[in-house]
């Protein structure tokens, strides 16, 4: 008699041995739990370590006492929460743009959708300098223009309002638009058409029909965006310099980078922050399942349907959306490029304002070549194995049922709640503490690990969506035809998923080349990506050099966004491609 | 058709987790299929027939019971045994075809042979020859080099059929294979399926909710309802001697009436029709009035109200009958199917 075997999993010798002990589903869950729960465990343990540098672990609660007793703890949490006011604002604007793109199909809707993708892939750090050039209190062009009218300067980019604006324009709105476009595309347009035929005006149709139907998707997008908004680091670090320990993430960074490092305190603060975010993460995971159960609202979608709204309305909305996106995305991008040609960043009153020497200095420097190589190496080393790994995890998850499927879903989404800076700290601790991991210290392996853990939710989510939309009988037919799990995966599932895999590759690649928060503390000496170098330039107020590097990274992102957009369209829209920033 | 059984299903049970508790889909199903037989499992949506087929295929694991395939136990819930699909030696045609769009027609069809090449001891030349033969059987040889994604629905089903039979499987499972085809293609495919089954002598197990598919192609039909097989037999037996009111009304058309203290099923063809009210005293005829008349092409279907209730009656398409018209019905002695 044949051996006992469950349908649908590889029968390699290694996995047989593991399954002999646990069963493959349990082994799979354990493997998922390592990246999901590992960082939490490390942070928790280290928060109770009161030993000094190089000393063995010594248990104590001193760090917790210090953090809980410090008045800054409450103020940083409050500021972090207050700055998330951008999420509801972003939801409103993002939904309006998504509605204009999908339901109104306004003239230029494809360009608008592409611009959101472009903004999503743009590196945040150099784009900040574009806004600085426009809205700096002292030399910002917009302020100068207003001052020319004899009025006081209205803008200050280095204020909470400025930070909210930068996030809103470059991250929150593009991300939420990208998230809501697929939800609107999947919505059956019959109820909307029925309301229009019944005599309702567009505003009533939107308020009474469309909004209630897509409410679950909007709430879900808002929750995902809120979690990411709480974790934001780079913009706050660069623009919040006037306020010491401005938000939680910058305070953690301050503790870790102080001399000597206050690691235990950083970990205790991280743990409190993580508990808040994990709560939100679990809520998000539950909301995802709730939305999955409420899929009855979905119809055949309206991708190719003829719009039923009036021409005047569509044209007016097109102008409004076009203006908004031009001001919030193209204007700072243009300023970034312009800044790279300025002799002295922000000084428009010089005799000779423009120069190409910034470019020749950057392109001629030895560090540029090294940084470019480091950027491409990190991007490829993360994206290639990452896309395959996430594809395999998604395929494995498709085979789970009941409580195991729910557990896997929670585990995969948990890293969504890990702020990049905390993840970096946890990985730094692991690579310093655990004997087996010490050999990785000083290599780029911890960077790759951190980036993969950070992008695990989005990568697996895209792959799971793609798998769910593929006819399951394709793989079933291969199994019944005599193909084992591996042959089925390689010959059938993988080729069918190639567009989604390529999209995940691009998302990982773009995420890796623009990342700062996750790799800032883990990067080995001498290993500096273009984004890290840009971050350092801006931190040292060397904006001229930063804008050149920023433009180069932005052009790389532009190429990636073109590819991602084309693939997204081939997939029928990049369905629920949840971003990694907010 | 051989008399030895090739598939034996014993006390098979299966349930699925649902948002509001567990849903039991199959309740202790027993079924035996003879080698070379064409068996259709017929039932309404939700009867559990596709689940039954997926359990046989190994795509699901049973909660209770066992499945014996060609003398080998391939699934046994008590022993937690469930052989994966690739080790059961089956072929299957899905409703959507399950044809791989990124491969050519030839690669689709040769796939089962390539996957089992080592087990079957096949060489390249043999694989090519068997693939050509299978393509010829379904008249797809001319399109062998075309990408499967470029085929029409009917062509895809032909490719799926060739793929299912190419490795001479123990059983070919057909999961609503004709459901996505239009009426003409369905008719063609029915002929092709019967022809293939006859020529190759393979065992076919088909799942369908379409009684014409089931009755016209099968040696035997198993009717399923609510996770149980409620009757199994030759198509004629299922139609003329239904075991219950459910089978009587699900398979074929008819009206259930109370006559002389018995519940009877009257098929439309069992009832005589005259387009005029019966003359007084004419024996065997009862007066009626046409409630509705629907033109169906080859015939006209009437619903006639009479003392027995509303009866469904078929008349020739040329008959000039309109709603509201008085008529006469005749039920010959011995006609009608007694229901329990």
């Amino acid at each position: 008699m044949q051996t006992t075997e469950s349908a649908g999993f590889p029968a390699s010798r290694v996995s047989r041995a593991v399954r002999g002990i646990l069963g493959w589903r349990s082994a799979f869950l354990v493997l998922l739990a390592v990246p999901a729960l590992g960082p939490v465990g490390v942070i928790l343990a280290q928060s109770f370590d009161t030993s000094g540098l190089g000393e063995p672990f010594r248990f104590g609660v001193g760090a917790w006492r210090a953090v809980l007793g410090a008045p800054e703890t409450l103020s940083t949490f409050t500021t972090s929460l207050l700055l998330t006011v951008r999420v509801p604002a972003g939801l409103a604007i993002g939904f309006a743009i998504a509605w204009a793109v999908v339901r109104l199909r306004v003239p230029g809707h494809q360009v608008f959708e592409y611009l959101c993708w472009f903004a999503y892939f743009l590196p945040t750090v150099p784009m900040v300098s574009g806004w600085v050039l426009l809205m700096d209190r002292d030399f910002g062009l917009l302020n100068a223009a207003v001052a020319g009218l004899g009025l006081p300067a209205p803008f200050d980019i280095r204020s909470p309002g400025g930070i909210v604006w930068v996030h809103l324009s470059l991250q929150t709105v593009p991300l939420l638009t990208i998230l809501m476009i697929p939800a609107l595309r999947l919505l059956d347009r019959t109820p909307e058409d029925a309301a229009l035929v019944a005599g309702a005006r567009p505003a009533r149709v939107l308020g009474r029909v469309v909004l209630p139907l897509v409410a679950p998707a909007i709430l879900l997008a808002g929750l995902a965006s809120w979690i990411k908004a709480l974790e934001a680091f780079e913009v706050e670090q660069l623009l919040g310099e006037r306020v010491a320990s401005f938000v939680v993430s910058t305070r953690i960074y301050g503790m870790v980078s102080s001399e000597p490092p206050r690691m235990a305190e950083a970990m205790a603060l991280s743990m409190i922050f993580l508990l808040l975010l994990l709560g939100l993460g679990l809520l998000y995971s539950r909301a995802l399942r709730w939305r999955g159960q409420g899929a009855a609202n979905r119809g055949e979608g309206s991708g190719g349907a003829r719009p039923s709204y009036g021409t005047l309305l569509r044209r007016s909305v097109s102008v409004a959306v076009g203006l908004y996106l031009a001001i919030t995305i193209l204007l700072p991008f243009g300023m970034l490029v312009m800044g790279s040609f300025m002799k002295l960043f922000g000084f428009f009153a010089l005799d000779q304002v423009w120069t190409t020497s910034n470019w020749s200095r950057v392109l001629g420097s030895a560090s540029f070549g090294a940084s470019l190589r480091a950027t491409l190496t990190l991007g490829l080393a993360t994206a290639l194995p990452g896309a395959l790994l996430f594809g395999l995890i998604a395929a494995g998850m498709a085979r789970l049922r009941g409580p195991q499927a729910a557990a896997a879903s929670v585990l995969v989404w948990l890293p969504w709640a890990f702020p990049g800076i905390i993840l970096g700290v946890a990985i730094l601790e692991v690579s310093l503490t655990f004997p087996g991991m010490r050999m990785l210290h000083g290599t780029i392996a911890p960077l790759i690990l951190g980036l993969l853990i950070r992008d695990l939710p989005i990568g697996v989510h895209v792959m799971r969506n793609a798998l769910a939309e593929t006819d399951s009988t394709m793989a079933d037919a291969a199994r019944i035809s005599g193909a084992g799990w591996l042959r089925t995966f390689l010959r059938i599932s993988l080729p069918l998923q190639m567009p989604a895999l390529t999209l995940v590759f691009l998302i990982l690649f773009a995420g890796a080349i623009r990342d700062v928060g996750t790799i800032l503390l883990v990067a080995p000496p001498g290993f500096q990506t273009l984004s890290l170098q840009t971050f350092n330039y801006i931190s040292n107020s060397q904006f001229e050099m930063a804008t050149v590097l920023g433009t180069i990274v932005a052009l790389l992102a532009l190429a990636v966004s073109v590819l991602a957009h084309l693939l997204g369209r081939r997939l029928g829209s990049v369905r629920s491609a949840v971003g990694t920033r907010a | 058709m051989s008399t030895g059984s090739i598939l034996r299903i014993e006390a098979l049970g299966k349930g699925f987790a649902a948002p509001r508790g567990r849903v039991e889909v199959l309740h202790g199903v027993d079924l035996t299929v003879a080698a070379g037989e064409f068996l259709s499992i017929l039932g309404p949506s939700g009867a559990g027939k596709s689940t039954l087929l997926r359990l046989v295929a190994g795509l699901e694991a049973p909660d209770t019971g066992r499945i014996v395939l060609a003398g080998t136990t391939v699934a046994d819930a008590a022993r937690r045994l469930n052989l994966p699909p690739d080790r059961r030696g089956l072929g299957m045609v899905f409703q959507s075809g399950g044809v791989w769009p990124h491969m050519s027609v030839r690669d689709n069809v040769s796939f089962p042979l390539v996957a089992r090449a080592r087990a079957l001891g096949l060489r390249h030349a043999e694989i090519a020859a068997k693939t050509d033969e299978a393509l010829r059987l379904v008249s797809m040889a001319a399109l062998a080099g075309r990408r499967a994604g470029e085929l029409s629905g009917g062509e895809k089903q032909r490719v799926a059929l060739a793929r299912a039979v190419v490795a001479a499987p123990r059983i070919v499972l057909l999961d609503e294979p004709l459901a996505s085809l239009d009426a003409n293609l369905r008719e063609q495919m029915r002929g092709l399926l019967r022809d293939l089954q006859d020529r190759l002598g393979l065992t076919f197990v088909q799942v369908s909710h379409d009684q014409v598919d089931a009755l016209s192609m099968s040696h035997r039909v198993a009717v399923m309802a609510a996770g149980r097989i409620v009757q199994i037999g030759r198509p004629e037996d299922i139609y003329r001697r239904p075991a219950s009111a459910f089978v009587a009304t699900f398979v074929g058309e008819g009206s259930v009436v109370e006559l002389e203290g018995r519940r009877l099923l009257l098929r439309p063809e069992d009832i005589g029709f005259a387009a005029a009210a019966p003359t007084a005293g004419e024996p065997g005829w009862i007066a009626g009035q046409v409630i509705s008349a629907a033109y169906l092409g080859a015939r006209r279907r009437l619903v006639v109200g009479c003392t027995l209730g509303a009866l469904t009656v078929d008349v020739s398409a040329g008959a000039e009958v309109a709603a509201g018209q008085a008529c006469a019905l005749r039920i010959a002695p011995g006609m009608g199917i007694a229901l329990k």
Side-chain angles (χ1 to χ4, degrees):
Chain A
M1 191 58 255
Q2 287 85 345
T3 52
T4 300
E5 231 172 302
S6 298
F9 203 71
S12 74
R13 289 188 186 95
V14 179
S15 69
R16 253 182 217 149
V18 178
R19 284 155 49 206
I21 305 163
L22 291 169
W24 77 264
R25 289 176 176 87
S26 306
F28 182 72
L29 285 176
V30 169
L31 286 175
L32 274 185
V34 172
L37 299 176
V40 184
V42 170
I43 290 166
L44 185 64
Q46 294 299 318
S47 69
F48 291 105
D49 185 4
T50 54
S51 64
L53 263 180
E55 294 173 6
F57 182 87
R58 193 169 63 237
F59 181 83
V61 292
W64 283 88
R65 263 202 211 108
V67 166
L68 292 173
E72 297 96 333
T73 302
L74 186 61
S75 68
T76 49
F77 269 97
T78 309
T79 314
S80 290
L81 280 171
L82 281 177
L83 288 181
T84 60
V85 68
R86 61 183 182 268
V87 175
L91 272 176
I93 302 169
F95 178 77
I97 298 174
W99 186 65
V101 166
V102 178
R103 312 305 277 193
L104 287 183
R105 299 191 79 201
V106 296
H109 61 95
Q110 286 180 324
V111 177
F112 299 154
E113 188 180 351
Y114 170 71
L115 273 177
C116 291
W117 273 106
F118 176 49
Y120 171 75
F121 282 115
L122 272 177
T124 314
V125 170
M127 287 297 284
V128 169
S129 57
W131 279 119
V132 168
L133 208 52
L134 280 165
M135 294 169 77
D136 187 89
R137 195 174 50 185
D138 301 323
F139 59 78
L141 278 179
L142 293 176
N143 282 331
V146 175
L149 300 171
L151 297 168
F155 305 114
D156 183 4
I157 198 71
R158 294 171 203 279
S159 66
I163 291 170
V164 166
W165 173 250
V166 169
H167 277 301
L168 198 63
S169 61
L170 295 176
Q171 299 172 349
T172 314
V173 169
L175 169 65
L176 286 169
T177 308
I178 290 169
L179 282 173
M180 283 186 277
I181 280 177
L184 282 171
R185 280 217 172 99
L186 286 171
L187 193 70
D188 188 356
R189 74 171 298 127
T190 316
E192 198 175 343
D193 282 342
L196 284 166
V197 172
R201 298 180 74 86
R204 181 178 287 271
V205 176
L206 182 64
R208 294 294 303 275
V209 179
V210 180
L211 266 173
L213 285 175
V214 293
I218 294 174
L219 289 176
L220 198 66
L223 197 51
S225 179
W226 196 35
I227 293 169
K228 285 291 155 191
L230 278 170
E231 300 169 1
F233 166 71
E234 291 103 329
V235 176
E236 282 76 359
Q237 178 67 20
L238 293 173
L239 297 179
E241 60 199 13
R242 283 201 212 122
V243 192
S245 303
F246 184 54
V247 289
V248 181
S249 58
T250 57
R251 189 165 172 233
I252 292 167
Y253 177 66
M255 287 170 167
V256 174
S257 55
S258 68
E259 277 299 334
R262 293 151 60 199
M263 290 300 277
E265 281 181 58
M267 296 297 180
L269 185 60
S270 299
M271 202 59 224
I272 298 168
F273 197 35
L274 263 183
L275 285 176
L276 171 71
L277 291 170
L278 288 177
L280 288 172
L282 286 173
L283 196 63
Y284 181 58
S285 173
R286 280 195 158 275
L288 266 180
R289 279 193 285 156
W290 169 58
R291 191 191 166 201
Q293 286 165 12
N297 284 338
R298 292 178 176 197
E300 290 176 0
S302 60
R306 192 177 168 78
S308 314
Y309 295 95
T311 309
L312 182 65
L313 174 75
R314 291 172 58 235
R315 282 186 183 160
S316 314
V317 174
S318 175
V319 170
V321 172
L323 268 176
Y324 173 83
L325 294 177
I327 290 170
T328 56
I329 297 167
L330 295 180
L331 184 62
F333 179 63
M335 298 311 290
L336 170 71
V337 179
M338 186 197 278
S340 72
F341 290 101
M342 291 187 82
K343 200 166 187 179
L344 205 55
F345 186 81
F347 285 78
F348 291 94
L350 294 178
D351 288 342
Q352 204 181 1
V353 178
W354 310 108
T355 180
T356 54
S357 65
N358 300 330
W359 281 84
S360 43
R361 272 169 64 201
V362 167
L363 296 177
S365 70
S367 64
F368 172 72
S371 291
L372 185 62
R373 271 196 303 279
T375 305
L376 295 176
T377 305
L378 184 64
L380 290 173
T382 304
L384 272 175
L388 271 177
L389 179 69
F390 295 161
L392 277 168
I393 291 175
M397 285 179 76
R399 302 278 167 184
L400 297 180
R401 297 283 179 275
Q404 287 173 325
S409 183
V410 169
L411 287 174
V412 160
W413 275 108
L414 272 186
W416 187 257
F418 296 162
I421 192 77
I422 294 179
L423 197 56
V425 171
I427 286 170
L428 185 69
E429 279 294 331
V430 168
S431 63
L432 286 172
T433 312
F434 292 91
M437 298 290 285
R438 254 181 224 151
M439 62 181 187
L440 300 179
H441 189 63
T443 70
I444 63 165
L447 282 72
I448 296 169
L449 188 63
L451 291 168
L452 287 180
I453 293 175
R454 187 199 64 178
D455 288 337
L456 177 74
I458 171 67
V460 173
H461 186 63
V462 170
M463 288 310 304
R464 284 180 76 190
N465 271 358
L467 279 173
E469 283 163 21
T470 306
D471 188 352
S472 63
T473 57
M474 299 281 171
D476 289 345
R479 297 302 311 276
I480 290 165
S481 298
W485 189 90
L486 190 61
R487 185 191 289 266
T488 302
F489 182 74
L490 292 175
R491 291 276 285 132
I492 309 298
S493 305
L494 202 61
L496 288 173
Q497 301 308 325
M498 202 44 85
L501 274 172
T502 314
L503 180 62
V504 171
F505 170 86
L506 292 172
I507 289 172
L508 292 178
F509 184 80
I513 66 169
R514 72 175 184 219
D515 183 82
V516 172
T518 312
I519 64 173
L520 184 61
L521 298 166
V522 205
F527 185 87
Q528 237 185 358
T529 61
L530 291 170
S531 289
L532 272 183
Q533 209 176 353
T534 311
F535 182 80
N536 290 334
Y537 277 139
I538 294 182
S539 299
N540 298 325
S541 297
Q542 291 177 274
F543 283 103
E544 300 81 12
M545 311 295 274
T547 48
V548 173
L549 285 180
T551 306
I552 293 168
V553 180
L555 290 175
L556 274 175
L558 181 68
V560 172
S561 66
V562 169
L563 287 173
H565 183 65
L566 291 174
L567 280 169
R569 291 188 68 75
R570 194 171 157 193
L571 282 171
S573 80
V574 184
R575 294 173 172 89
S576 303
V578 184
T580 54
R581 305 174 301 164
Chain B
M1 186 175 81
S2 154
T3 48
S5 78
I6 192 162
L7 173 67
R8 204 169 70 243
I9 293 169
E10 296 169 2
L12 207 61
K14 179 69 183 171
F16 293 102
R20 293 181 187 179
R22 196 170 168 78
V23 175
E24 294 303 322
V25 178
L26 291 181
H27 304 273
V29 170
D30 294 307
L31 181 67
T32 301
V33 182
E37 185 179 14
F38 195 136
L39 176 88
S40 285
I41 301 167
L42 180 67
S45 298
K49 51 194 191 302
S50 283
T51 303
L52 180 60
L53 207 68
R54 289 177 67 80
L55 287 165
V56 174
L59 297 169
E60 304 283 353
D63 296 337
T64 60
R66 68 181 195 136
I67 301 169
V68 181
L69 189 61
T72 303
T73 304
V74 294
D76 188 344
R79 291 160 53 199
R80 298 177 63 82
L81 169 76
N82 190 42
L83 212 63
D86 51 302
R87 291 167 64 187
R88 295 193 179 198
L90 301 171
M92 188 162 180
V93 179
F94 296 88
Q95 182 176 341
S96 60
V99 172
W100 305 304
H102 60 294
M103 289 186 190
S104 68
V105 167
R106 175 180 293 284
D107 287 346
N108 262 279
V109 176
S110 66
F111 188 92
L113 297 171
V114 174
R116 293 168 176 147
R118 197 180 294 169
L120 298 174
L122 292 173
R123 282 177 294 189
H124 267 301
E126 290 168 294
I127 290 173
K130 283 175 183 285
T131 304
D132 287 341
E133 176 60 21
L135 286 168
R136 268 197 299 277
L137 279 173
V138 298
S139 309
M140 286 297 289
L143 300 177
R146 188 172 288 187
R147 277 177 83 86
E150 298 166 7
L151 302 176
S152 69
E155 288 167 342
K156 280 182 186 162
Q157 286 304 75
R158 283 170 182 271
V159 173
L161 187 55
R163 187 178 66 189
V165 300
V166 71
R170 290 161 169 168
I171 300 179
V172 178
L173 305 173
L174 308 163
D175 188 4
E176 310 255 12
L178 313 181
S180 59
L181 305 180
D182 63 45
N184 284 336
L185 276 176
R186 279 179 94 106
E187 196 52 50
Q188 284 176 26
M189 280 295 286
R190 278 187 202 121
L192 179 62
L193 279 167
R194 272 312 299 259
D195 182 48
L196 265 183
Q197 205 260 338
D198 279 347
R199 284 165 68 180
L200 301 175
L202 296 171
T203 308
F204 277 27
V205 176
Q206 175 190 226
V207 149
S208 178
H209 66 267
D210 187 301
Q211 51 186 290
V212 179
D213 289 349
L215 297 177
S216 65
M217 291 193 285
S218 321
H219 295 119
R220 284 194 304 156
V221 174
V223 182
M224 277 192 82
R228 291 184 172 85
I229 291 179
V230 291
Q231 188 175 2
I232 184 164
R234 294 184 310 131
E236 296 85 346
D237 294 335
I238 298 288
Y239 188 77
R240 294 305 318 175
R241 282 177 283 284
S244 64
F246 167 77
V247 178
T249 49
F250 183 72
V251 182
E253 302 288 338
S255 317
V256 179
V257 298
E258 292 282 341
L259 196 63
E260 297 167 354
R262 292 189 309 157
R263 282 184 81 212
L264 281 183
L265 172 78
L266 296 173
R267 298 287 188 199
E269 64 270 21
D270 294 341
I271 304 170
F273 177 83
T279 356
E282 195 173 358
W285 289 89
I286 52 176
Q289 187 176 30
V290 177
I291 297 170
S292 68
Y295 178 68
L296 301 179
R299 62 191 191 284
R300 204 176 283 273
R301 173 149 298 171
L302 312 178
V303 177
V304 178
C306 66
T307 50
L308 294 173
L311 304 185
T312 304
V313 184
D314 279 355
V315 296
S316 72
E320 293 291 330
V321 187
Q325 183 180 324
C327 62
L329 300 177
R330 184 169 191 276
I331 300 158
M335 279 299 179
I337 299 157
L339 298 177
K340 293 166 189 168

